[in-house]
Amino acid sequence: MVSVPVQCPHCQSPEVIKAGTQANGTQRYQCQNGQCAWRIFLLQYQDRGRIPEVRRQVVDMALNGSRVRDTARVLRISPTTVIAVLKKSRRAATRQPRAGIPSLTRRPRPATARRRAR
Ligand SMILES: [Zn+2]
């Protein structure tokens, strides 16, 4: 028997318990850190768009001037996933559960990106 240490991918806390399985049989885990915003996680995700590192990259690329389709192509996830991640990240940052979200696609490019394009 081999014991594998499990850490929360959000807060790196080792205080983690098992929390049932997904429909496909994958083990789910729950972070026991009360301050952690991300309670349930898996060790192996089926979809790239669910991987915490990929979701962080979506937000980073948006902040650096990448548009939705640029981000989707580079990270090999769908444009709808990019939009969903950005909406959720904004909600988590502002802590307003039902806030209206301005159109992500018609957002003007940041000044730095526009200068480079010329
Ligand atoms: Zn956590």
Side-chain angles (χ1 to χ4, degrees), residues 7-16 30-41:
Q7 272 190 337
C8 171
H10 188 66
C11 65
Q12 268 71 47
S13 165
E15 303 283 308
V16 159
Q30 188 183 56
C31 178
Q32 293 293 89
N33 176 4
Q35 267 76 45
C36 185
W38 201 321
R39 303 310 296 274
I40 298 281
F41 62 94

